[in-house]
């Protein structure tokens, strides 16, 4: 389950993956008008249904969803065997220069500084949420550290000149 509001939501999944057309409310009705990843888009036409190139949402990645109404959406996962989310598994997120959409893959609330190691990013890198939380790396540490809730999608601005990898710690190491 993921709580959303009417309009645009920035989310990520903590398990899955999930097919876009399976994102429904408790009555089984599709709630999405549009869904976007950093590189893909799908639109739900009222007559013709879903069309676009975004078919599934993968845990650990961020998505922007435009919902017709708020409430709780129920994500019908086609697999519950997504290894990066297991207790002792870690994985990397590729980070490019400038803006990146990053997901929060943990099913528990943690401080940003626990989940994202500031020493592995560049001076001036910044993370923001739709709720207005913001943290910036200064002198190798996060300033403006905030608590990140499960299913939060974020924007990360990478001030570096080259692509880098942001290791996501195994949940057991947080």
């Amino acid at each position: 389950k993921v709580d959303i509001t009417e309009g645009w939501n920035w989310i990520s999944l903590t398990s899955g993956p999930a097919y876009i057309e399976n994102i429904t409310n408790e009555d089984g009705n599709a709630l999405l008008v549009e869904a976007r990843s950093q590189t893909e888009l799908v639109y739900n036409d009222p007559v013709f249904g879903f069309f676009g190139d975004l078919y599934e949402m993968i845990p650990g990645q961020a998505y922007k969803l435009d919902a017709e109404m708020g409430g709780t959406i129920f994500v019908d996962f086609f697999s519950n065997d997504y290894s990066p989310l297991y207790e002792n598994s870690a994985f990397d997120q590729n980070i490019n220069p400038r803006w990146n959409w990053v997901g929060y893959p943990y099913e528990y609330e943690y401080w940003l500084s626990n989940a994202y190691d500031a020493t592995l990013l560049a001076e001036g890198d910044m993370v923001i949420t739709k709720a207005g939380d913001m943290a910036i790396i200064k002198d190798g540490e996060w300033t403006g550290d905030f608590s990140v809730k499960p299913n939060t999608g974020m924007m990360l601005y990478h001030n570096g000149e080259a692509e880098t990898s942001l290791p996501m710690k195994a949940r057991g190491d947080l």
Side-chain angles (χ1 to χ4, degrees):
K1 299 189 306 182
V2 180
D3 291 325
I4 62 169
T5 59
E6 181 178 346
W8 285 100
N9 297 264
W10 298 4
I11 73 162
S12 64
L13 299 178
T14 57
S15 61
Y19 286 122
I20 291 293
E21 69 259 10
N22 291 352
I23 299 174
T24 63
N25 65 9
E26 62 269 4
D27 298 327
N29 299 318
L31 295 178
L32 298 183
V33 175
E34 187 175 315
R36 296 172 180 249
S37 72
Q38 186 164 337
T39 58
E40 299 168 314
L41 165 72
V42 67
Y43 180 75
N44 186 8
D45 184 89
V47 176
F48 300 106
F50 289 99
F51 65 91
D53 57 357
L54 178 60
Y55 301 103
E56 65 184 359
M57 295 189 338
I58 297 170
Q61 301 202 12
Y63 299 91
K64 295 181 181 180
L65 307 180
D66 185 9
E68 290 184 307
M69 63 184 78
T72 300
I73 59 174
F74 294 83
V75 182
D76 182 18
F77 300 110
F78 61 86
S79 169
N80 286 318
D81 186 28
Y82 202 76
S83 61
L85 306 173
Y86 290 158
E87 181 77 24
N88 296 314
S89 297
F91 68 101
D92 294 345
Q93 289 190 17
N94 291 330
I95 303 297
N96 295 305
R98 309 302 172 249
W99 287 106
N100 296 268
W101 299 20
V102 295
Y104 180 75
Y106 308 108
E107 67 262 11
Y108 299 104
E109 190 170 335
Y110 295 109
W111 288 99
L112 178 75
S113 57
N114 288 346
Y116 297 90
D117 187 347
T119 63
L120 301 173
L121 293 168
E123 185 76 8
D125 280 7
M126 153 178 40
V127 171
I128 62 170
T129 68
K130 188 171 183 296
D133 300 308
M134 182 175 82
I136 300 172
I137 296 177
K138 184 174 181 185
D139 299 326
E141 294 183 6
W142 287 110
T143 61
D145 198 9
F146 58 90
S147 180
V148 186
K149 294 177 177 53
N151 303 115
T152 299
M154 298 174 283
M155 300 289 290
L156 183 147
Y157 183 84
H158 178 49
N159 203 33
E161 295 295 321
E163 180 179 322
T164 189
S165 182
L166 178 60
M168 300 302 297
K169 298 175 185 175
R171 188 174 56 112
D173 295 334
L174 292 174

